[in-house]
PDB file of all heavy atoms in Angstrom:
ATOM      1  N   GLU I   1      13.330  -5.677  -5.093  1.00  0.00           N
ATOM      2  CA  GLU I   1      13.788  -4.730  -6.099  1.00  0.00           C
ATOM      3  C   GLU I   1      13.152  -3.345  -5.946  1.00  0.00           C
ATOM      4  O   GLU I   1      13.434  -2.457  -6.754  1.00  0.00           O
ATOM      5  CB  GLU I   1      13.500  -5.277  -7.503  1.00  0.00           C
ATOM      6  CG  GLU I   1      14.190  -6.600  -7.803  1.00  0.00           C
ATOM      7  CD  GLU I   1      13.866  -7.116  -9.188  1.00  0.00           C
ATOM      8  OE1 GLU I   1      14.302  -6.478 -10.173  1.00  0.00           O
ATOM      9  OE2 GLU I   1      13.159  -8.147  -9.299  1.00  0.00           O
ATOM     10  N   PHE I   2      12.325  -3.173  -4.905  1.00  0.00           N
ATOM     11  CA  PHE I   2      11.613  -1.914  -4.713  1.00  0.00           C
ATOM     12  C   PHE I   2      12.017  -1.250  -3.403  1.00  0.00           C
ATOM     13  O   PHE I   2      12.461  -1.915  -2.459  1.00  0.00           O
ATOM     14  CB  PHE I   2      10.100  -2.157  -4.690  1.00  0.00           C
ATOM     15  CG  PHE I   2       9.544  -2.677  -5.983  1.00  0.00           C
ATOM     16  CD1 PHE I   2       9.439  -4.047  -6.203  1.00  0.00           C
ATOM     17  CD2 PHE I   2       9.133  -1.819  -6.974  1.00  0.00           C
ATOM     18  CE1 PHE I   2       8.929  -4.540  -7.385  1.00  0.00           C
ATOM     19  CE2 PHE I   2       8.612  -2.301  -8.171  1.00  0.00           C
ATOM     20  CZ  PHE I   2       8.518  -3.660  -8.374  1.00  0.00           C
ATOM     21  N   SER I   3      11.815   0.054  -3.349  1.00  0.00           N
ATOM     22  CA  SER I   3      11.991   0.790  -2.089  1.00  0.00           C
ATOM     23  C   SER I   3      10.783   0.557  -1.184  1.00  0.00           C
ATOM     24  O   SER I   3       9.780  -0.044  -1.600  1.00  0.00           O
ATOM     25  CB  SER I   3      12.132   2.288  -2.383  1.00  0.00           C
ATOM     26  OG  SER I   3      10.908   2.804  -2.901  1.00  0.00           O
ATOM     27  N   GLY I   4      10.867   1.049   0.062  1.00  0.00           N
ATOM     28  CA  GLY I   4       9.759   0.870   0.993  1.00  0.00           C
ATOM     29  C   GLY I   4       8.473   1.505   0.503  1.00  0.00           C
ATOM     30  O   GLY I   4       7.379   0.910   0.600  1.00  0.00           O
ATOM     31  N   GLY I   5       8.575   2.726  -0.033  1.00  0.00           N
ATOM     32  CA  GLY I   5       7.388   3.397  -0.538  1.00  0.00           C
ATOM     33  C   GLY I   5       6.780   2.679  -1.727  1.00  0.00           C
ATOM     34  O   GLY I   5       5.554   2.586  -1.851  1.00  0.00           O
ATOM     35  N   GLN I   6       7.635   2.144  -2.602  1.00  0.00           N
ATOM     36  CA  GLN I   6       7.132   1.400  -3.752  1.00  0.00           C
ATOM     37  C   GLN I   6       6.471   0.099  -3.318  1.00  0.00           C
ATOM     38  O   GLN I   6       5.458  -0.316  -3.894  1.00  0.00           O
ATOM     39  CB  GLN I   6       8.288   1.116  -4.719  1.00  0.00           C
ATOM     40  CG  GLN I   6       8.801   2.341  -5.448  1.00  0.00           C
ATOM     41  CD  GLN I   6      10.039   2.059  -6.277  1.00  0.00           C
ATOM     42  OE1 GLN I   6      10.901   1.265  -5.871  1.00  0.00           O
ATOM     43  NE2 GLN I   6      10.137   2.673  -7.433  1.00  0.00           N
ATOM     44  N   ARG I   7       7.023  -0.545  -2.298  1.00  0.00           N
ATOM     45  CA  ARG I   7       6.398  -1.777  -1.797  1.00  0.00           C
ATOM     46  C   ARG I   7       5.009  -1.495  -1.248  1.00  0.00           C
ATOM     47  O   ARG I   7       4.084  -2.295  -1.442  1.00  0.00           O
ATOM     48  CB  ARG I   7       7.268  -2.396  -0.696  1.00  0.00           C
ATOM     49  CG  ARG I   7       8.569  -2.975  -1.183  1.00  0.00           C
ATOM     50  CD  ARG I   7       9.234  -3.771  -0.083  1.00  0.00           C
ATOM     51  NE  ARG I   7      10.623  -4.075  -0.400  1.00  0.00           N
ATOM     52  CZ  ARG I   7      11.344  -4.980   0.227  1.00  0.00           C
ATOM     53  NH1 ARG I   7      10.813  -5.669   1.210  1.00  0.00           N
ATOM     54  NH2 ARG I   7      12.603  -5.194  -0.122  1.00  0.00           N
ATOM     55  N   GLN I   8       4.868  -0.361  -0.558  1.00  0.00           N
ATOM     56  CA  GLN I   8       3.541  -0.051  -0.037  1.00  0.00           C
ATOM     57  C   GLN I   8       2.574   0.261  -1.175  1.00  0.00           C
ATOM     58  O   GLN I   8       1.381  -0.037  -1.077  1.00  0.00           O
ATOM     59  CB  GLN I   8       3.618   1.127   0.943  1.00  0.00           C
ATOM     60  CG  GLN I   8       2.410   1.270   1.858  1.00  0.00           C
ATOM     61  CD  GLN I   8       2.217   0.086   2.786  1.00  0.00           C
ATOM     62  OE1 GLN I   8       2.045  -1.051   2.346  1.00  0.00           O
ATOM     63  NE2 GLN I   8       2.213   0.347   4.074  1.00  0.00           N
ATOM     64  N   ARG I   9       3.067   0.803  -2.262  1.00  0.00           N
ATOM     65  CA  ARG I   9       2.225   1.013  -3.438  1.00  0.00           C
ATOM     66  C   ARG I   9       1.778  -0.331  -4.025  1.00  0.00           C
ATOM     67  O   ARG I   9       0.635  -0.474  -4.475  1.00  0.00           O
ATOM     68  CB  ARG I   9       2.978   1.821  -4.497  1.00  0.00           C
ATOM     69  CG  ARG I   9       3.153   3.294  -4.138  1.00  0.00           C
ATOM     70  CD  ARG I   9       4.059   4.004  -5.134  1.00  0.00           C
ATOM     71  NE  ARG I   9       4.282   5.385  -4.730  1.00  0.00           N
ATOM     72  CZ  ARG I   9       3.598   6.425  -5.210  1.00  0.00           C
ATOM     73  NH1 ARG I   9       2.662   6.240  -6.121  1.00  0.00           N
ATOM     74  NH2 ARG I   9       3.865   7.653  -4.797  1.00  0.00           N
ATOM     75  N   VAL I  10       2.677  -1.314  -4.011  1.00  0.00           N
ATOM     76  CA  VAL I  10       2.306  -2.658  -4.459  1.00  0.00           C
ATOM     77  C   VAL I  10       1.212  -3.226  -3.546  1.00  0.00           C
ATOM     78  O   VAL I  10       0.239  -3.828  -4.024  1.00  0.00           O
ATOM     79  CB  VAL I  10       3.536  -3.588  -4.480  1.00  0.00           C
ATOM     80  CG1 VAL I  10       3.110  -5.034  -4.757  1.00  0.00           C
ATOM     81  CG2 VAL I  10       4.538  -3.131  -5.524  1.00  0.00           C
ATOM     82  N   ALA I  11       1.374  -3.036  -2.235  1.00  0.00           N
ATOM     83  CA  ALA I  11       0.373  -3.527  -1.285  1.00  0.00           C
ATOM     84  C   ALA I  11      -0.976  -2.855  -1.516  1.00  0.00           C
ATOM     85  O   ALA I  11      -2.033  -3.501  -1.420  1.00  0.00           O
ATOM     86  CB  ALA I  11       0.853  -3.289   0.145  1.00  0.00           C
ATOM     87  N   ILE I  12      -0.964  -1.569  -1.818  1.00  0.00           N
ATOM     88  CA  ILE I  12      -2.211  -0.847  -2.099  1.00  0.00           C
ATOM     89  C   ILE I  12      -2.823  -1.358  -3.405  1.00  0.00           C
ATOM     90  O   ILE I  12      -4.048  -1.523  -3.509  1.00  0.00           O
ATOM     91  CB  ILE I  12      -1.949   0.669  -2.153  1.00  0.00           C
ATOM     92  CG1 ILE I  12      -1.565   1.176  -0.759  1.00  0.00           C
ATOM     93  CG2 ILE I  12      -3.185   1.417  -2.655  1.00  0.00           C
ATOM     94  CD1 ILE I  12      -1.095   2.620  -0.736  1.00  0.00           C
ATOM     95  N   ALA I  13      -1.975  -1.624  -4.399  1.00  0.00           N
ATOM     96  CA  ALA I  13      -2.477  -2.169  -5.664  1.00  0.00           C
ATOM     97  C   ALA I  13      -3.152  -3.519  -5.437  1.00  0.00           C
ATOM     98  O   ALA I  13      -4.198  -3.814  -6.032  1.00  0.00           O
ATOM     99  CB  ALA I  13      -1.328  -2.302  -6.662  1.00  0.00           C
ATOM    100  N   ARG I  14      -2.550  -4.353  -4.593  1.00  0.00           N
ATOM    101  CA  ARG I  14      -3.156  -5.659  -4.287  1.00  0.00           C
ATOM    102  C   ARG I  14      -4.527  -5.488  -3.644  1.00  0.00           C
ATOM    103  O   ARG I  14      -5.474  -6.215  -3.954  1.00  0.00           O
ATOM    104  CB  ARG I  14      -2.234  -6.451  -3.341  1.00  0.00           C
ATOM    105  CG  ARG I  14      -2.805  -7.785  -2.898  1.00  0.00           C
ATOM    106  CD  ARG I  14      -1.835  -8.561  -2.034  1.00  0.00           C
ATOM    107  NE  ARG I  14      -1.438  -7.821  -0.851  1.00  0.00           N
ATOM    108  CZ  ARG I  14      -0.522  -8.234   0.016  1.00  0.00           C
ATOM    109  NH1 ARG I  14       0.112  -9.383  -0.195  1.00  0.00           N
ATOM    110  NH2 ARG I  14      -0.205  -7.512   1.069  1.00  0.00           N
ATOM    111  N   ALA I  15      -4.647  -4.511  -2.737  1.00  0.00           N
ATOM    112  CA  ALA I  15      -5.929  -4.264  -2.086  1.00  0.00           C
ATOM    113  C   ALA I  15      -6.952  -3.686  -3.052  1.00  0.00           C
ATOM    114  O   ALA I  15      -8.154  -3.901  -2.905  1.00  0.00           O
ATOM    115  CB  ALA I  15      -5.731  -3.313  -0.901  1.00  0.00           C
ATOM    116  N   LEU I  16      -6.472  -2.967  -4.064  1.00  0.00           N
ATOM    117  CA  LEU I  16      -7.366  -2.243  -4.964  1.00  0.00           C
ATOM    118  C   LEU I  16      -7.886  -3.097  -6.107  1.00  0.00           C
ATOM    119  O   LEU I  16      -8.902  -2.753  -6.725  1.00  0.00           O
ATOM    120  CB  LEU I  16      -6.611  -1.033  -5.529  1.00  0.00           C
ATOM    121  CG  LEU I  16      -7.395   0.070  -6.223  1.00  0.00           C
ATOM    122  CD1 LEU I  16      -8.316   0.765  -5.249  1.00  0.00           C
ATOM    123  CD2 LEU I  16      -6.432   1.064  -6.851  1.00  0.00           C
ATOM    124  N   ILE I  17      -7.257  -4.213  -6.389  1.00  0.00           N
ATOM    125  CA  ILE I  17      -7.534  -4.931  -7.633  1.00  0.00           C
ATOM    126  C   ILE I  17      -8.949  -5.508  -7.693  1.00  0.00           C
ATOM    127  O   ILE I  17      -9.508  -5.683  -8.781  1.00  0.00           O
ATOM    128  CB  ILE I  17      -6.477  -6.037  -7.873  1.00  0.00           C
ATOM    129  CG1 ILE I  17      -6.519  -6.477  -9.335  1.00  0.00           C
ATOM    130  CG2 ILE I  17      -6.686  -7.216  -6.909  1.00  0.00           C
ATOM    131  CD1 ILE I  17      -5.331  -7.292  -9.764  1.00  0.00           C
ATOM    132  N   THR I  18      -9.563  -5.789  -6.566  1.00  0.00           N
ATOM    133  CA  THR I  18     -10.944  -6.300  -6.588  1.00  0.00           C
ATOM    134  C   THR I  18     -11.975  -5.175  -6.605  1.00  0.00           C
ATOM    135  O   THR I  18     -13.167  -5.441  -6.520  1.00  0.00           O
ATOM    136  CB  THR I  18     -11.216  -7.194  -5.365  1.00  0.00           C
ATOM    137  OG1 THR I  18     -11.088  -6.412  -4.162  1.00  0.00           O
ATOM    138  CG2 THR I  18     -10.256  -8.379  -5.313  1.00  0.00           C
ATOM    139  N   ARG I  19     -11.494  -3.928  -6.704  1.00  0.00           N
ATOM    140  CA  ARG I  19     -12.356  -2.742  -6.662  1.00  0.00           C
ATOM    141  C   ARG I  19     -13.219  -2.737  -5.392  1.00  0.00           C
ATOM    142  O   ARG I  19     -14.442  -2.649  -5.453  1.00  0.00           O
ATOM    143  CB  ARG I  19     -13.259  -2.666  -7.899  1.00  0.00           C
ATOM    144  CG  ARG I  19     -12.509  -2.514  -9.213  1.00  0.00           C
ATOM    145  CD  ARG I  19     -11.723  -1.208  -9.260  1.00  0.00           C
ATOM    146  NE  ARG I  19     -11.187  -0.915 -10.589  1.00  0.00           N
ATOM    147  CZ  ARG I  19      -9.999  -1.293 -11.026  1.00  0.00           C
ATOM    148  NH1 ARG I  19      -9.209  -1.985 -10.217  1.00  0.00           N
ATOM    149  NH2 ARG I  19      -9.582  -0.988 -12.244  1.00  0.00           N
ATOM    150  N   PRO I  20     -12.577  -2.826  -4.213  1.00  0.00           N
ATOM    151  CA  PRO I  20     -13.343  -2.886  -2.962  1.00  0.00           C
ATOM    152  C   PRO I  20     -13.984  -1.537  -2.641  1.00  0.00           C
ATOM    153  O   PRO I  20     -13.529  -0.485  -3.094  1.00  0.00           O
ATOM    154  CB  PRO I  20     -12.273  -3.232  -1.925  1.00  0.00           C
ATOM    155  CG  PRO I  20     -11.033  -2.600  -2.466  1.00  0.00           C
ATOM    156  CD  PRO I  20     -11.124  -2.775  -3.971  1.00  0.00           C
ATOM    157  N   GLN I  21     -15.029  -1.581  -1.844  1.00  0.00           N
ATOM    158  CA  GLN I  21     -15.642  -0.348  -1.360  1.00  0.00           C
ATOM    159  C   GLN I  21     -14.991   0.119  -0.067  1.00  0.00           C
ATOM    160  O   GLN I  21     -15.021   1.304   0.253  1.00  0.00           O
ATOM    161  CB  GLN I  21     -17.143  -0.557  -1.165  1.00  0.00           C
ATOM    162  CG  GLN I  21     -17.870  -0.882  -2.458  1.00  0.00           C
ATOM    163  CD  GLN I  21     -19.371  -0.808  -2.311  1.00  0.00           C
ATOM    164  OE1 GLN I  21     -19.903   0.093  -1.678  1.00  0.00           O
ATOM    165  NE2 GLN I  21     -20.070  -1.775  -2.876  1.00  0.00           N
ATOM    166  N   LEU I  22     -14.401  -0.820   0.688  1.00  0.00           N
ATOM    167  CA  LEU I  22     -13.761  -0.501   1.963  1.00  0.00           C
ATOM    168  C   LEU I  22     -12.345  -1.057   1.981  1.00  0.00           C
ATOM    169  O   LEU I  22     -12.127  -2.222   1.645  1.00  0.00           O
ATOM    170  CB  LEU I  22     -14.560  -1.096   3.129  1.00  0.00           C
ATOM    171  CG  LEU I  22     -13.927  -0.999   4.526  1.00  0.00           C
ATOM    172  CD1 LEU I  22     -13.872   0.457   4.991  1.00  0.00           C
ATOM    173  CD2 LEU I  22     -14.700  -1.847   5.531  1.00  0.00           C
ATOM    174  N   ILE I  23     -11.387  -0.218   2.354  1.00  0.00           N
ATOM    175  CA  ILE I  23     -10.017  -0.675   2.602  1.00  0.00           C
ATOM    176  C   ILE I  23      -9.666  -0.344   4.046  1.00  0.00           C
ATOM    177  O   ILE I  23      -9.761   0.814   4.466  1.00  0.00           O
ATOM    178  CB  ILE I  23      -9.004  -0.022   1.654  1.00  0.00           C
ATOM    179  CG1 ILE I  23      -9.170  -0.574   0.230  1.00  0.00           C
ATOM    180  CG2 ILE I  23      -7.572  -0.264   2.128  1.00  0.00           C
ATOM    181  CD1 ILE I  23      -8.184  -0.012  -0.782  1.00  0.00           C
ATOM    182  N   VAL I  24      -9.293  -1.367   4.799  1.00  0.00           N
ATOM    183  CA  VAL I  24      -8.809  -1.191   6.172  1.00  0.00           C
ATOM    184  C   VAL I  24      -7.305  -1.032   6.099  1.00  0.00           C
ATOM    185  O   VAL I  24      -6.593  -1.950   5.664  1.00  0.00           O
ATOM    186  CB  VAL I  24      -9.195  -2.385   7.059  1.00  0.00           C
ATOM    187  CG1 VAL I  24      -8.648  -2.197   8.470  1.00  0.00           C
ATOM    188  CG2 VAL I  24     -10.713  -2.554   7.105  1.00  0.00           C
ATOM    189  N   ALA I  25      -6.813   0.134   6.488  1.00  0.00           N
ATOM    190  CA  ALA I  25      -5.375   0.430   6.404  1.00  0.00           C
ATOM    191  C   ALA I  25      -4.819   0.541   7.819  1.00  0.00           C
ATOM    192  O   ALA I  25      -5.130   1.485   8.545  1.00  0.00           O
ATOM    193  CB  ALA I  25      -5.147   1.730   5.630  1.00  0.00           C
ATOM    194  N   ASP I  26      -3.996  -0.441   8.209  1.00  0.00           N
ATOM    195  CA  ASP I  26      -3.443  -0.492   9.560  1.00  0.00           C
ATOM    196  C   ASP I  26      -2.048   0.127   9.557  1.00  0.00           C
ATOM    197  O   ASP I  26      -1.083  -0.492   9.098  1.00  0.00           O
ATOM    198  CB  ASP I  26      -3.381  -1.940  10.044  1.00  0.00           C
ATOM    199  CG  ASP I  26      -2.968  -2.057  11.508  1.00  0.00           C
ATOM    200  OD1 ASP I  26      -2.782  -1.007  12.159  1.00  0.00           O
ATOM    201  OD2 ASP I  26      -2.842  -3.186  12.002  1.00  0.00           O
ATOM    202  N   GLU I  27      -1.940   1.367  10.029  1.00  0.00           N
ATOM    203  CA  GLU I  27      -0.662   2.098  10.072  1.00  0.00           C
ATOM    204  C   GLU I  27       0.052   2.013   8.721  1.00  0.00           C
ATOM    205  O   GLU I  27       1.205   1.563   8.630  1.00  0.00           O
ATOM    206  CB  GLU I  27       0.246   1.523  11.173  1.00  0.00           C
ATOM    207  CG  GLU I  27      -0.338   1.588  12.582  1.00  0.00           C
ATOM    208  CD  GLU I  27      -0.113   2.953  13.236  1.00  0.00           C
ATOM    209  OE1 GLU I  27       0.299   3.890  12.536  1.00  0.00           O
ATOM    210  OE2 GLU I  27      -0.373   3.063  14.443  1.00  0.00           O
ATOM    211  N   PRO I  28      -0.581   2.432   7.627  1.00  0.00           N
ATOM    212  CA  PRO I  28      -0.016   2.183   6.303  1.00  0.00           C
ATOM    213  C   PRO I  28       1.253   2.961   5.988  1.00  0.00           C
ATOM    214  O   PRO I  28       1.958   2.611   5.032  1.00  0.00           O
ATOM    215  CB  PRO I  28      -1.152   2.605   5.363  1.00  0.00           C
ATOM    216  CG  PRO I  28      -1.911   3.633   6.140  1.00  0.00           C
ATOM    217  CD  PRO I  28      -1.852   3.163   7.563  1.00  0.00           C
ATOM    218  N   VAL I  29       1.561   4.027   6.743  1.00  0.00           N
ATOM    219  CA  VAL I  29       2.750   4.822   6.417  1.00  0.00           C
ATOM    220  C   VAL I  29       3.744   4.908   7.569  1.00  0.00           C
ATOM    221  O   VAL I  29       4.775   5.563   7.443  1.00  0.00           O
ATOM    222  CB  VAL I  29       2.355   6.258   5.980  1.00  0.00           C
ATOM    223  CG1 VAL I  29       1.503   6.226   4.725  1.00  0.00           C
ATOM    224  CG2 VAL I  29       1.629   6.999   7.095  1.00  0.00           C
ATOM    225  N   SER I  30       3.474   4.247   8.679  1.00  0.00           N
ATOM    226  CA  SER I  30       4.329   4.411   9.860  1.00  0.00           C
ATOM    227  C   SER I  30       5.735   3.850   9.655  1.00  0.00           C
ATOM    228  O   SER I  30       6.681   4.290  10.305  1.00  0.00           O
ATOM    229  CB  SER I  30       3.678   3.757  11.081  1.00  0.00           C
ATOM    230  OG  SER I  30       3.562   2.352  10.890  1.00  0.00           O
ATOM    231  N   ALA I  31       5.897   2.876   8.756  1.00  0.00           N
ATOM    232  CA  ALA I  31       7.215   2.276   8.530  1.00  0.00           C
ATOM    233  C   ALA I  31       8.005   2.990   7.439  1.00  0.00           C
ATOM    234  O   ALA I  31       9.103   2.557   7.093  1.00  0.00           O
ATOM    235  CB  ALA I  31       7.056   0.796   8.166  1.00  0.00           C
ATOM    236  N   LEU I  32       7.449   4.093   6.915  1.00  0.00           N
ATOM    237  CA  LEU I  32       8.079   4.784   5.797  1.00  0.00           C
ATOM    238  C   LEU I  32       8.731   6.086   6.248  1.00  0.00           C
ATOM    239  O   LEU I  32       8.348   6.671   7.258  1.00  0.00           O
ATOM    240  CB  LEU I  32       7.036   5.094   4.710  1.00  0.00           C
ATOM    241  CG  LEU I  32       6.219   3.905   4.193  1.00  0.00           C
ATOM    242  CD1 LEU I  32       5.187   4.389   3.191  1.00  0.00           C
ATOM    243  CD2 LEU I  32       7.130   2.856   3.571  1.00  0.00           C
ATOM    244  N   ASP I  33       9.712   6.543   5.471  1.00  0.00           N
ATOM    245  CA  ASP I  33      10.312   7.849   5.721  1.00  0.00           C
ATOM    246  C   ASP I  33       9.260   8.937   5.571  1.00  0.00           C
ATOM    247  O   ASP I  33       8.288   8.783   4.817  1.00  0.00           O
ATOM    248  CB  ASP I  33      11.454   8.117   4.742  1.00  0.00           C
ATOM    249  CG  ASP I  33      12.634   7.183   4.962  1.00  0.00           C
ATOM    250  OD1 ASP I  33      12.746   6.646   6.075  1.00  0.00           O
ATOM    251  OD2 ASP I  33      13.419   6.985   4.022  1.00  0.00           O
ATOM    252  N   VAL I  34       9.469  10.052   6.268  1.00  0.00           N
ATOM    253  CA  VAL I  34       8.480  11.130   6.268  1.00  0.00           C
ATOM    254  C   VAL I  34       8.201  11.631   4.855  1.00  0.00           C
ATOM    255  O   VAL I  34       7.046  11.883   4.487  1.00  0.00           O
ATOM    256  CB  VAL I  34       8.956  12.292   7.168  1.00  0.00           C
ATOM    257  CG1 VAL I  34       8.012  13.478   7.055  1.00  0.00           C
ATOM    258  CG2 VAL I  34       9.055  11.833   8.616  1.00  0.00           C
ATOM    259  N   SER I  35       9.229  11.765   4.041  1.00  0.00           N
ATOM    260  CA  SER I  35       9.040  12.268   2.681  1.00  0.00           C
ATOM    261  C   SER I  35       8.202  11.304   1.842  1.00  0.00           C
ATOM    262  O   SER I  35       7.423  11.730   0.980  1.00  0.00           O
ATOM    263  CB  SER I  35      10.401  12.493   2.008  1.00  0.00           C
ATOM    264  OG  SER I  35      11.142  11.282   1.964  1.00  0.00           O
TER     265      SER I  35
END
């Protein structure tokens, strides 16, 4: 039900929920439109 950019926001929210000090982001925007 979400666009690609919104899905990546969900993925970031999942990574953020434990309040981590380090996030490893592997090509986090390469699959998204430039805008």
Side-chain angles (χ1 to χ4, degrees):
E1 300 179 68
F2 296 92
S3 67
Q6 289 174 323
R7 290 190 194 195
Q8 198 63 300
R9 287 173 184 263
V10 172
I12 293 172
R14 177 177 58 185
L16 195 65
I17 197 166
T18 63
R19 297 297 190 270
Q21 297 192 42
L22 173 68
I23 289 181
V24 178
D26 187 3
E27 300 277 11
V29 298
S30 64
L32 306 177
D33 293 338
V34 174
S35 59

